[in-house]
Amino acid sequence: MTTPATPMDTVTLERRIAARPETVFGLLTDRDKWLSWMGGDGTFSFAPGGPYRTRVTGENVASGRFLTVDPPERLVLTWGWEGSPTPLTPGSTRVEITLEPTPEPTLEPIPAGTLLHLIHSGLPTPEACEAHAEFWQHYVDRLALRAEGADPGPDPWTRRPTG
């Protein structure tokens, strides 16, 4: 069986997290929990159609709307950067995060982990794909640390430009 190629405007990421999907989903749908792994401040309305705006790094602000909030399995939102010199304007791209429970390699049927799938589509250039692949890897690593009970510490990218 062949897997379809990733479109040129898309970043995909998979990450196994040693925490239940409910825990990971909570970090994606609660303001204070979100800001514990990404961003310095922000406003969020975690409901379909609800807007969000968050200062992610330094003066870089991401904004868009939540399209789907399906606990604890799926979150879909639009994404873009305010004041971006690129065509990546607020709400111009789409981020889909799905959480799949994964059992421990034991005989117990209790899901002990999560396989996170992230697809960011609609990116305007290969450079935007490359930058957002690095961006999402950084922040999914921080999300995983938080979900697994660790403190990711201060974000070293808080002064780093994005876009």
Side-chain angles (χ1 to χ4, degrees):
M1 181 166 95
T2 60
T3 307
T6 300
M8 297 301 290
D9 69 344
T10 301
V11 169
T12 61
L13 178 82
E14 282 192 351
R15 170 70 188 255
R16 188 178 187 301
I17 300 173
R20 293 176 181 269
E22 294 82 1
T23 300
V24 179
F25 198 83
L27 290 164
L28 297 168
T29 56
D30 175 278
R31 178 192 181 275
D32 292 338
K33 290 178 182 178
W34 178 298
L35 295 174
S36 74
W37 61 274
M38 182 202 295
D41 60 42
T43 57
F44 302 85
S45 179
F46 295 105
Y52 73 89
R53 183 178 189 273
T54 182
R55 183 177 51 81
V56 179
T57 59
E59 298 304 314
N60 297 295
V61 175
S63 63
R65 294 197 172 276
F66 292 96
L67 302 176
T68 304
V69 181
D70 184 16
E73 299 166 357
R74 189 166 173 252
L75 183 70
V76 182
L77 57 142
T78 64
W79 182 273
W81 296 102
E82 292 184 2
S84 174
T86 70
L88 197 63
T89 57
S92 64
T93 65
R94 183 176 190 263
V95 178
E96 179 175 359
I97 300 169
T98 56
L99 306 174
E100 178 183 333
T102 59
E104 281 293 319
T106 67
L107 299 177
E108 294 185 38
I110 301 169
T114 300
L115 182 59
L116 178 145
H117 303 272
L118 183 143
I119 301 170
H120 189 165
S121 59
L123 293 161
T125 64
E127 294 80 15
C129 285
E130 185 177 317
H132 283 83
E134 181 182 7
F135 174 88
W136 286 116
Q137 184 65 59
H138 174 75
Y139 284 106
V140 167
D141 287 348
R142 291 178 57 80
L143 170 67
L145 283 170
R146 176 60 72 197
E148 293 169 355
D151 180 354
D155 185 353
W157 285 12
T158 54
R159 299 252 179 239
R160 181 186 173 135
T162 61

